[in-house]
Amino acid sequence: MAINVSSCFSSVLIRSFIYSDYTQVVWIHKEPEAHYTEYMPSKYYEELEHTADWALHVWGANFEELLRNAAAGMQHLAGIEPSLEDGVTRVFELEAQDREQMLVRWLEELLFHIEARHAAFSVQVIEVTGDRRLVASVVETPASPPKKAIKAVTFHNLRVEDTPRGVEATIVFDV
Amino acid sequence: MITKQAFEQVSPVEWEIPRGFREDMRVPVRVFANSRLLESALKDKSIEQAVNAATLPGLVGRVLVMPDVHQGYGFPIGGVAASKLPDGVISPGAIGYDINCGVRLLASSVSYTEAEPLLKDLASSLYANCPSGVGVKGSVPLDKRQLEEVCRKGAAWAMKNGYGRKEDLERTEEQGGLDGADPSSVGARAVERGRPQLGTLGAGNHFIEVDVIEEIFHPEAASAMGLEQGRLAVQIHCGSRGFGHQICSDYVHEFQSAVQRYGIRLPDRELVCAPLNTPEGRRYLSAMACAANYAFANRQILAHHARRSFEETFAGRLKGWDLHQVYDIAHNMGKIEEHTLDGEKVTVCVHRKGATRAFGPGFAGLPKEYLAIGQPVLVPGSMGTGSWVLLGTERSMAVSFGSTCHGAGRTMSRSQAKRTIRGDQLRQHLEDKGVRVRAGSMPGLAEEAPQAYKDVDAVVEVVVQAGIAAKVARLRPVAVVKG
């Protein structure tokens, strides 16, 4: 279920800037009490066989959960090990044409910060409006460099599908 | 699922899926393989991806599939497709995220027999001098203006800043710099990723490898390249790092809407493209050139570091330690080239993804010492087996848009490799075989185990039998550095 996060974001926002033409990243105040929380259990994603790259099958009760579980699965694949240091709460805002592009942009966003700042991310709250706009509150924790390099999140045969168990997708990563 | 019955056998090593196999195909698909390699390719989605690639607008000739093919994303690794200008398309996914991933070969006159006791030191020196691993910062941090210069000049920027020699440029594809690179076509995030990473190897299947030249097959060509049996050589395999990955990602997103604007229907969104005569197509070509030039500069700087390591290890101990460049060639690139098709000269954009340009004798862009023999082609195998130096041929110009294979090609998934092979045991096995290993990650090493790859010798036999390459020399690894 989507959670309304606008009220909790507004009180702590201190600055914002544009990283690129499609992604607005809003940084909010570092809360010392915010800690890294455990990744979702692996039952929400599974690695599929792929000759050269990585394929990750992910599912969730709804699209927001799918996004959350995909983030956890990608970090698991990359071998991210968060430190025990305090985390920083951040807000990501993204726009996309549809759910598939939203999923790719969301994972790319995290991947950029994982590579640039050696960070791990735990999703606190995530809200998607009309399949086109995402607002997510995450806790960023310092982490070891990724053990495995992910070059890119691809659109290869990507379909976000509604199924009897919720929403599912298989994401291929270029590695 | 595509089976062997879908193919018409053209020769013992050429198989064709006709255009009528699927309604949306615009050109046939031709696979270079022997029967066993074809059956291997049919085990994953390689051929299905090649058929999907054959639907790209403006393609001419055939989609070509090399014997080292394996499943990729959108377009298979080991695929070649040419679209005719002016309105044929360019597809970032058909070039790959690691734009201008490629190989550089340097050779020395150091005798393997004499150098053998010092190879451990050489491997350690290479590991220390050549930054490797995920997200590692390079030895040449750049400000934004310097990065723009790298985009425009490529390897020439590195040479001007003390990381190479004039003759290195002459022995690099396109002299180490593509024309038309405009940094304004590159997004801010790519700049941010590219600035700290120049002069880094990266991780995954990228490596620096010291080889002994084991066998010479073409003495005239080997002599022109300065390759002597029993001497040491170095291969550097890497690309445009996060800079190129980001550029490709940005344009794959941008082209999601471009295909709608231009009414292009595709079987896979990863194949998104734009006609080359549109603003989107031209901008991607320009951004791709920036990434390609970054990659040429990257390999140039790593070559400089390899030379430092040879000097540190061998100077004062052995003679002939200087490394001269044999060639540097891309295997993930889109190039505007002129080819002859059905007797007519056509200007095309040749997409090579996991395939190497292999121009035959007489090509004007070659250095004078290679004009008579053809362009060197560098085909690294797995780290436990061997690698090849080949030559482009007249037939490669006639049947494969001047292209040939690029490596051994994977046959085992990374997860299966990790399940069945332990990195530390593999390292010991390789050391026992005389291959010194320096690697940042043991699971990463396991994923790249020789068992995960096809037999590079079988791949080379196919391209030689098909006439799209000729053998020059076989190399055997004696030290490997991986991220």
Side-chain angles (χ1 to χ4, degrees), chain B residues 53 102 109 162 172 216 238 256 294 304 306 315 365 367 396 424 444 448 459:
Chain B
S109 296
T172 301
I216 300 285
C238 64
Q256 298 294 322
Y294 184 100
H304 169 80
S396 66
D424 54 348
E448 295 299 321
V459 167

Side-chain angles (χ1 to χ4, degrees), chain A residues 19-23 25 47-54 77 97-98 100-101 104-105 108-109 112-113 115-116 118 145-159 172-175, chain B residues 44-45 49 70-74 97-98 134-135 137 188-189 192-193 197 203 205-206 242 245-246 249-250 252-253 256-257 260 267-270 410-416 418-419 441 444 447:
Chain A
Y19 259 135
S20 69
D21 56 352
Y22 60 79
T23 304
V25 181
E47 190 181 353
L48 304 181
E49 293 291 321
H50 187 290
T51 314
D53 298 306
W54 285 340
L77 279 180
Q97 291 176 15
D98 50 36
E100 285 78 13
Q101 190 174 38
V104 173
R105 284 204 160 144
E108 283 178 349
E109 185 65 37
F112 171 77
H113 295 288
E115 180 189 290
H118 296 166
K147 288 193 174 69
K148 294 302 311 298
I150 296 177
K151 290 177 188 163
V153 187
T154 81
F155 280 89
H156 177 48
N157 287 341
L158 180 61
R159 285 179 200 89
V172 175
F173 297 95
D174 181 19
V175 297
Chain B
D44 65 17
K45 293 185 176 167
Q49 291 179 344
H70 60 74
Q71 178 182 344
Y73 42 87
Y97 287 87
D98 197 0
V134 185
K137 289 187 170 53
R189 186 159 278 188
E192 193 173 342
R193 291 180 72 177
Q197 290 189 343
N205 64 351
H206 294 160
H245 309 166
Q246 189 67 48
S249 291
D250 289 348
V252 168
H253 279 291
Q256 298 294 322
S257 47
Q260 292 171 12
D268 185 344
R269 289 177 71 170
E270 190 61 25
R410 288 192 75 91
T411 187
M412 184 191 288
S413 75
R414 293 174 186 278
S415 51
Q416 188 187 347
K418 276 190 295 189
R419 281 198 305 273
S441 158
E447 287 187 17

Side-chain angles (χ1 to χ4, degrees), chain B residues 160-188:
Chain B
K160 190 179 161 195
N161 285 273
Y163 297 101
R165 309 165 185 173
K166 187 167 173 287
E167 55 268 31
D168 297 345
L169 301 189
E170 290 164 2
R171 290 184 169 201
T172 301
E173 178 177 2
E174 302 292 343
Q175 289 73 50
L178 291 185
D179 291 336
D182 178 0
S184 72
S185 59
V186 174

Side-chain angles (χ1 to χ4, degrees), chain A residues 47-80:
Chain A
E47 190 181 353
L48 304 181
E49 293 291 321
H50 187 290
T51 314
D53 298 306
W54 285 340
L56 190 71
H57 179 214
V58 190
W59 58 95
N62 52 38
F63 185 46
E64 284 83 355
E65 275 196 21
L66 176 82
L67 293 167
R68 180 194 294 267
N69 297 338
M74 181 179 75
Q75 293 182 90
H76 177 77
L77 279 180
I80 310 288

Side-chain angles (χ1 to χ4, degrees), chain B residues 4 15 112 150-151 154 168 198 236 238 241 258 287 308 348 377 391 437 457:
Chain B
K4 217 169 170 179
W15 310 74
Y112 166 68
V150 172
C151 289
D168 297 345
L198 194 66
I236 299 169
C238 64
R241 310 286 289 111
R308 282 172 53 212
V348 289
V377 172
L391 282 175
V437 179
D457 296 344

